[in-house]
Amino acid sequence: MSKNHSKFFKKKHLNLSLICLILIASLLYLTIPSSAIQDDFKKSLPPLQKHSLPVSLSKWHEQSYSGDYFNQIKQTLDGYLIWSNFPIKIYLDRPSNPNESSASTRRFNQWVNAIEKAIDDWNNYLPMTEVAQPDTADIIIKRANPPLGTTVDPETGKLQIPRARSAQTRYEFYIKNERLFHKMQIQISPGLGDLSILSAARHELGHALGIWGHSLEKTDALYFSQVANPPKISARDINTLKKVYEQPTRLGWSLPNQ
Ligand SMILES: [Zn+2]
């Protein structure tokens, strides 16, 4: 590896680690109950309950258990971010005319192909289907640069501005028919190479499907940083996903009678 390359990787690694730290910090901020207000708020939400395990995950058994990183997964006020209506509806950006031969459409088609491959990979474990309209989707995947978020360095108190983000996943909650649901939005940069789009999509889809945390092992798709050889979905990723789906959540359940 040349000096320039190692410098690049070092920089990139630092940058991505920073993003992951920011994610973890904001997760903690969002997830730690801190006051009586939150207790009151929780009473207005559906009680924590378990959904039955999706068939595809209940079939998943490893002969010799390779471990998991469930202890790295964060809960929200609404419990674990678990889907309960299958197939999960996905909307992804597509070029308006995919058969057009311009370089920009070709690049857009490559982006779509990589996203479709990542969806196929996860589809073995949780069923998903593509929908034509974003407003009917559970997970929206946008071909866009994630916003540059500024955060405060907890040690120095100084503002930190990350150089660039290549991908990001956010969630929001909503109520429909007196039930609590969530929606995910993934943004994946158009400027990435094919392999990076695929690994970013695999990683972010893992978050969107409920793995709201990071692995500390380089061989897992949900490893906290980008690596030179992006891993496929590992048995540990699925062991973790399965454990998440065995947990109680407020999502998908009815609001209490007031
Ligand atoms: Zn991540």
Side-chain angles (χ1 to χ4, degrees):
M1 192 183 280
S2 75
K3 204 173 171 204
N4 277 347
H5 269 110
S6 73
K7 213 167 160 189
F8 170 77
F9 272 101
K10 227 170 161 180
K11 258 189 186 173
K12 199 156 188 181
H13 190 89
L14 190 74
N15 190 21
L16 284 159
S17 307
L18 187 68
I19 293 165
C20 284
L21 280 176
I22 292 163
L23 174 70
I24 290 162
S26 53
L27 284 177
L28 283 174
Y29 175 75
L30 285 168
T31 53
I32 292 178
S34 59
S35 69
I37 298 169
Q38 289 195 348
D39 286 344
D40 273 357
F41 179 61
K42 278 186 196 167
K43 280 182 200 148
S44 66
L45 297 172
L48 288 166
Q49 294 165 79
K50 285 183 186 181
H51 290 283
S52 55
L53 198 59
V55 180
S56 39
L57 281 183
S58 67
K59 282 185 190 156
W60 168 259
H61 290 290
E62 248 195 311
Q63 291 251 291
S64 76
Y65 197 67
S66 58
D68 61 71
Y69 46 92
F70 179 71
N71 61 0
Q72 301 293 319
I73 307 304
K74 309 289 179 298
Q75 277 198 73
T76 69
L77 266 180
D78 292 329
Y80 289 92
L81 296 169
I82 290 171
W83 298 103
S84 55
N85 286 331
F86 299 100
I88 301 163
K89 297 195 271 304
I90 301 219
Y91 171 86
L92 63 142
D93 279 345
R94 285 181 177 275
S96 46
N97 182 3
N99 297 321
E100 203 231 336
S101 62
S102 71
S104 65
T105 303
R106 234 179 13 249
R107 279 199 302 275
F108 202 152
N109 281 330
Q110 284 165 350
W111 183 93
V112 169
N113 291 343
I115 304 295
E116 283 178 334
K117 169 85 178 74
I119 293 172
D120 267 3
D121 290 351
W122 283 109
N123 209 21
N124 293 319
Y125 309 103
L126 286 175
M128 287 176 261
T129 189
E130 190 179 340
V131 292
Q133 298 299 329
D135 48 356
T136 59
D138 301 312
I139 300 174
I140 295 172
I141 307 179
K142 294 202 78 66
R143 186 175 182 255
N145 283 313
L148 290 175
T150 39
T151 53
V152 177
D153 184 313
E155 282 171 19
T156 63
K158 285 186 182 156
L159 275 183
Q160 295 177 313
I161 303 167
R163 248 162 302 189
R165 289 180 183 207
S166 53
Q168 188 186 59
T169 301
R170 290 177 298 162
Y171 63 80
E172 61 184 43
F173 301 117
Y174 66 97
I175 291 165
K176 192 179 166 190
N177 300 332
E178 302 287 298
R179 277 172 189 263
L180 184 65
F181 295 102
H182 69 312
K183 209 173 171 84
M184 290 277 182
Q185 189 177 113
I186 299 174
Q187 285 172 302
I188 295 178
S189 169
L192 298 172
D194 289 357
L195 199 58
S196 299
I197 298 168
L198 176 58
S199 71
R202 253 196 221 122
H203 179 104
E204 300 303 323
L205 264 173
H207 285 320
L209 292 174
I211 308 178
W212 202 251
H214 286 117
S215 162
L216 303 175
E217 302 257 341
K218 276 193 173 115
T219 46
D220 298 331
L222 273 288
Y223 181 57
F224 69 91
S225 185
Q226 196 168 328
V227 288
N229 294 310
K232 296 194 167 153
I233 296 169
S234 69
R236 284 164 41 86
D237 289 320
I238 305 306
N239 290 338
T240 306
L241 185 70
K242 186 172 178 177
K243 277 203 173 173
V244 168
Y245 276 76
E246 286 167 346
Q247 307 306 312
T249 182
R250 300 180 202 281
L251 297 169
W253 295 109
S254 298
L255 297 173
N257 293 326
Q258 300 291 327

